[in-house]
Amino acid sequence: KAGVTQTPRYLIKTRGQQVTLSCSPISGHRSVSWYQQTPGQGLQFLFEYFSETQRNKGNFPGRFSGRQFSNSRSEMNVSTLELGDSALYLCASSLEGHTNYGYTFGSGTRLTVV
Amino acid sequence: GENVEQHPSTLSVQEGDSAVIKCTYSDSASNYFPWYKQELGKRPQLIIDIRSNVGEKKDQRIAVTLNKTAKHFSLHITETQPEDSAVYFCAASWNTNAGKSTFGDGTTLTVKP
């Protein structure tokens, strides 16, 4: 079956702009989690959506937001981009949540803010 | 919240040797402990996991052990091969926060032929 699809793969944005990233989970998976990966900070949890509801949220500012659609596809949005937002954003799909089955990660969107 | 510490940050071994990576966690409520392997430029992939009701789990050359009392778990790779070279992440999560997990900072394993 198809894996987790993230689009776009690469993005270059200017400070102050906003960006929307997309994630399509594995068919049948209802949980989508988002992580920010940077060389110095590892994998940091952003938020998790389950059945169109945000179930968990990490310690990121309100500029980071997300949503999930009825087909389980999820988007995350970052407004007023800062240089420090440059990172690899990974989407992780799971059937019910990480504690039951583990994650299947997408290939990520590499965001560069200039 | 949960805190996961992972050691060492880098590990270099000769092909055929064993490699051990250790993680400690802070929240005794954590009950699921996966390990992910991330090759250069690729996505993290789940390689093995263990739940809190089990002390050890093996899958061919890899094994994970869990000590709930001491709140630490370890990844063991035997007969290492150059293709084992990657960054390995441990993670911890618990049922009441399903969908969220805390990751260690990663261990860069280099297997020298």
Side-chain angles (χ1 to χ4, degrees), chain A residues 59, chain B residues 1-4 25-30 92 94 97 100-102:
Chain A
N59 299 321
Chain B
E2 174 68 282
N3 183 50
V4 176
Y25 60 99
S26 60
D27 192 336
S28 55
S30 291
W94 56 108
N97 270 303
K100 173 183 177 179
S101 66
T102 302

Side-chain angles (χ1 to χ4, degrees), chain B residues 38-104:
Chain B
Q38 187 175 29
E39 297 176 62
L40 192 62
K42 296 191 176 180
R43 71 190 76 189
Q45 289 194 299
L46 178 68
I47 56 171
I48 196 167
D49 57 11
I50 192 167
R51 288 173 175 77
S52 58
N53 58 346
V54 176
E56 183 176 1
K57 184 176 178 180
K58 291 183 76 171
D59 183 3
Q60 299 182 341
R61 295 186 298 108
I62 60 173
V64 57
T65 58
L66 171 65
N67 184 325
K68 281 192 66 180
T69 304
K71 288 192 277 189
H72 67 71
F73 56 111
S74 300
L75 177 71
H76 305 254
I77 305 174
T78 58
E79 300 171 20
T80 54
Q81 301 166 2
E83 51 265 39
D84 294 329
S85 296
V87 179
Y88 292 81
F89 293 95
C90 63
S93 62
W94 56 108
N95 279 329
T96 54
N97 270 303
K100 173 183 177 179
S101 66
T102 302
F103 282 79

Side-chain angles (χ1 to χ4, degrees), chain A residues 5 13-14 27 29 39 42 45 68 73-74 81 84 86 89 107 109:
Chain A
T5 304
K13 290 285 188 178
T14 304
S27 177
H29 283 195
F45 175 76
Q68 187 179 35
R73 188 178 73 85
S74 177
L81 284 165
S86 295
Y89 290 88
S107 295
T109 294

Side-chain angles (χ1 to χ4, degrees), chain A residues 33 35 37 56 98 100 103 107, chain B residues 36 38 43 51 97-99:
Chain A
S33 301
Y35 285 84
Q37 185 175 28
N56 281 290
H98 187 240
N100 294 327
Y103 289 138
S107 295
Chain B
Y36 293 87
Q38 187 175 29
R43 71 190 76 189
R51 288 173 175 77
N97 270 303

